[in-house]
């Protein structure tokens, strides 16, 4: 019998300490990048302010296989940077897809929730590879997941759903035989 401490974790992300380079984008650059995506002028100005807050900040970031390692995700930050991260995330809230019912234009509510540790972003905040300078690797990615077994389980679950729907269609078809005015559906 394997001891608990000998058991390898199924999955751990890559975790690094990194410096962000998110500044230097002005309103016109962001407007050109996001043309046709439905962002308002106020939202794009919030993106500029948010990028300026994050610029030069050293954070702990992670990379995961569930998004094909496409983005760096905020993992953590040092206590001394808490105020700056709070201000940056407040600016990010200004263009959050569900900001209408959250913190848009309400810094006091945001700050209160932040200080009381009740803030939940409701999304994952990410950075592009070009915005991240890796300073130190803190944890290598561990992937002990048998991806072929997962694919087989997904296929089996999809097949089970298909068979269930097929049986339901068969029962309806059997129940509807006979008088066309007395059909029974389950």
């Amino acid at each position: 019998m394997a001891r608990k401490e000998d058991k390898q974790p199924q999955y751990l992300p890559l975790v690094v300490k990194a410096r962000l380079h998110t500044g230097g984008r002005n309103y016109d650059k962001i407007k050109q990048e996001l043309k046709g995506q439905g962002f308002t002028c106020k939202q794009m100005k919030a993106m500029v302010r948010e990028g300026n807050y994050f610029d030069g900040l050293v954070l702990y970031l992670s990379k995961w296989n569930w998004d094909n390692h496409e983005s760096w995700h905020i993992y953590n930050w040092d206590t001394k940077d808490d105020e700056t991260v709070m201000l940056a995330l407040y600016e990010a809230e200004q263009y959050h897809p569900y900001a209408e019912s959250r913190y848009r234009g309400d810094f006091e509510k945001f700050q209160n929730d932040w200080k009381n540790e009740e803030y939940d972003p409701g999304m994952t905040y990410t950075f592009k590879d070009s915005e991240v300078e890796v300073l130190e690797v803190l944890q290598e990615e561990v992937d002990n997941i048998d991806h072929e077994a997962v694919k087989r389980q997904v296929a089996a679950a999809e097949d089970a759903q298909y068979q269930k729907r097929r049986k339901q269609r068969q029962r309806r078809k059997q129940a509807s035989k006979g008088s066309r005015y007395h059909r029974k559906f389950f």
Side-chain angles (χ1 to χ4, degrees):
M1 184 171 172
R3 295 185 319 196
K4 188 175 183 178
E5 57 269 3
D6 291 341
K7 189 174 180 181
Q8 293 291 320
Q10 286 282 326
Y11 183 81
L12 293 173
L14 170 66
V15 178
V16 300
K17 185 175 186 178
R19 183 177 318 283
L20 298 176
H21 300 286
T22 56
R25 290 187 339 169
N26 61 22
Y27 172 77
D28 293 326
K29 281 185 183 178
I30 289 177
K31 184 177 179 179
Q32 203 58 19
E33 282 177 32
L34 301 176
K35 188 174 185 174
Q37 293 187 25
F39 289 102
T40 66
C41 294
K42 282 178 106 174
Q43 290 172 328
M44 288 186 274
K45 288 176 183 175
M47 289 176 200
V48 171
R49 289 189 302 271
E50 167 242 335
N52 290 335
Y53 279 122
F54 275 127
D55 192 40
L57 204 57
V58 175
L59 298 177
Y60 301 97
L61 305 175
S62 60
K63 237 182 196 189
W64 299 75
N65 71 356
W66 56 264
D67 72 345
N68 297 318
H69 305 96
E70 290 179 2
S71 303
W72 289 100
H73 306 257
I74 291 181
Y75 193 75
N76 208 344
W77 55 88
D78 292 328
T79 309
K80 66 179 175 59
D81 297 322
D82 194 59
E83 187 76 18
T84 307
V85 172
M86 178 189 70
L87 294 171
L89 290 180
Y90 172 73
E91 294 300 339
E93 282 291 335
Q94 303 313 297
Y95 62 91
H96 190 287
Y98 306 110
E100 304 300 334
S101 59
R102 294 175 51 95
Y103 302 106
R104 186 171 288 168
D106 192 353
F107 181 71
E108 287 77 26
K109 180 181 178 195
F110 178 83
Q111 187 177 30
N112 201 22
D113 285 354
W114 184 274
K115 301 273 186 210
N116 294 326
E117 297 181 5
E118 296 172 0
Y119 172 68
D120 178 13
M123 64 180 177
T124 303
Y125 197 86
T126 62
F127 299 98
K128 301 174 199 158
D129 285 335
S130 61
E131 299 173 325
V132 174
E133 174 192 348
V134 175
L135 302 174
E136 179 184 357
V137 175
L138 302 173
Q139 173 182 289
E140 292 288 341
E141 182 178 37
V142 175
D143 191 355
N144 293 322
I145 297 171
D146 183 357
H147 296 284
E148 291 303 316
V150 170
K151 285 180 185 176
R152 287 191 299 271
Q153 289 175 340
V154 168
E158 288 172 346
D159 186 54
Q161 285 288 61
Y162 170 76
Q163 294 300 333
K164 181 180 174 184
R165 288 191 309 272
R166 189 177 70 75
K167 287 178 184 176
Q168 286 174 340
R169 286 192 302 270
Q170 288 287 35
R171 282 197 307 255
R172 285 188 205 126
K173 189 175 181 182
Q174 289 295 334
S176 67
K177 289 188 178 179
S179 172
R180 62 183 204 168
Y181 299 105
H182 297 289
R183 292 184 180 173
K184 297 178 184 176
F185 295 95
F186 297 103

